[in-house]
Amino acid sequence: MVQAVQRAVRILRELATAGPRLGVTELADRLGVAKPTVHALLRTLEAEGMVTQDRESSKYLLGPDLLLLGNAYLDTQELRSRSLTWADVLASRAGEAVWVAVLTGDHILVVHHAFRPAGAVQILEVGASVPWNTCALGKAMVAWAPGETRERLLGGPLGVLTGASVTEPAALRAQLDAALATGYALEDQESALGDAGIAAPVFGRGGEVAGAIGVVGPVERLLVEPARQELAVAVRETARNLSRDLGAPRRAAQLAGPGSATVPTPTPSPG
């Protein structure tokens, strides 16, 4: 580990999570590092476009060059590029917004967002970071993740975004087991009041969980019957198709339907 690089990354994370504007003293206290050291790191980050300084308050905020790095990450994210068509098809079929996400630490990162086909103005959520335990996408990925990953996340910090967020490991474990049994994970107003989610895992070439895809929308549309079952079928089928396009092996731990975790025999891609 290179200490200076580690500290610079921690500065960027603090500005991203506790900002948008923080001063040298605030950052020094948060990092437990001397102010001259933090100031030198900030000046270097500023010279590279990673942070900028607000001239009125003298505090620092994230810089524009980080957007270039973020866009470059999305451009090289195979799950995102492979999901573009499938997410649009699912959004049209479900009549709801579709998110595609990957797991980063104990949060999910939205790498693609297909808008709901019709309705009010919608906000693009690409780049949104959400605690894994508060959304269907996160639960879908953790349910099918290796045992050590699952246990580590269940034993780690669990996010709270609403009064419905589940923070009891035993309750979350039961939800993950239910996802394995039914083939999909659910969220009921755990990340935003009034919203729900239905998601299934997506698998890569090595059979590992590469991410998840799911529908997001008002709880009264997603979780009422028979809509919930119909949407769950659509989400599972889309996850299988996307996994196939990513080259998931036939017997990888992929969702094939309720009570099953094997990959169906691949079929030719549409067209």
Side-chain angles (χ1 to χ4, degrees):
M1 299 289 289
V2 179
Q3 189 178 61
V5 175
Q6 186 180 46
R7 286 173 172 174
V9 171
R10 289 181 62 194
I11 286 174
L12 295 176
R13 285 179 174 159
E14 286 294 336
L15 290 172
T17 58
R21 292 173 174 80
L22 293 173
V24 174
T25 301
E26 293 170 293
L27 286 166
D29 289 342
R30 289 174 178 274
L31 272 61
V33 178
K35 287 196 292 184
T37 301
V38 171
H39 185 259
L41 289 168
L42 285 167
R43 297 297 291 177
T44 303
L45 289 169
E46 184 179 21
E48 296 297 328
M50 298 294 116
V51 303
T52 60
Q53 186 178 32
D54 180 73
R55 298 310 172 191
E56 292 186 5
S57 66
S58 294
K59 293 188 175 184
Y60 289 85
L61 61 158
L62 295 176
D65 281 10
L66 285 174
L67 183 60
L68 298 176
L69 296 179
N71 287 335
Y73 167 76
L74 292 176
D75 289 342
T76 58
Q77 233 287 333
E78 187 179 13
L79 174 63
R80 179 179 184 271
S81 62
R82 294 282 185 176
S83 70
L84 299 180
T85 298
W86 291 115
D88 286 344
V89 170
L90 178 58
S92 296
R93 179 177 175 182
E96 300 293 348
V98 173
W99 287 9
V100 179
V102 296
L103 188 65
T104 60
D106 57 4
H107 281 59
I108 66 108
L109 176 68
V110 179
V111 297
H112 181 55
H113 175 188
F115 284 140
R116 179 159 49 92
V121 175
Q122 300 170 67
I123 300 174
L124 185 65
E125 298 289 354
V126 172
S129 180
V130 183
W132 77 267
N133 61 296
T134 66
C135 63
L137 291 157
K139 294 174 189 177
M141 286 185 273
V142 174
W144 275 267
E148 60 271 20
T149 300
R150 175 171 165 162
E151 293 307 313
R152 174 176 57 79
L153 290 170
L154 282 169
L158 298 171
V160 178
L161 297 181
T162 74
S165 297
V166 180
T167 57
E168 274 293 328
L172 275 172
R173 192 184 304 276
Q175 289 187 350
L176 300 181
D177 290 341
L180 289 170
T182 62
Y184 62 92
L186 292 174
E187 171 211 338
D188 185 356
Q189 305 186 77
E190 295 162 53
S191 61
L193 292 177
D195 285 348
I198 301 174
V202 176
F203 295 83
R205 291 183 183 85
E208 76 288 352
V209 178
I213 187 169
V215 293
V216 180
V219 64
E220 64 271 15
R221 288 206 303 264
L222 265 63
L223 299 188
V224 296
E225 298 295 358
R228 180 172 68 87
Q229 289 297 332
E230 294 171 353
L231 290 170
V233 169
V235 168
R236 289 198 305 258
E237 290 179 356
T238 303
R240 287 201 301 271
N241 289 331
L242 181 49
S243 295
R244 178 196 62 203
D245 275 3
L246 286 170
R250 293 176 62 181
R251 298 193 62 80
Q254 182 198 344
L255 177 63
S260 176
T262 58
V263 177
T265 302
T267 56
S269 299

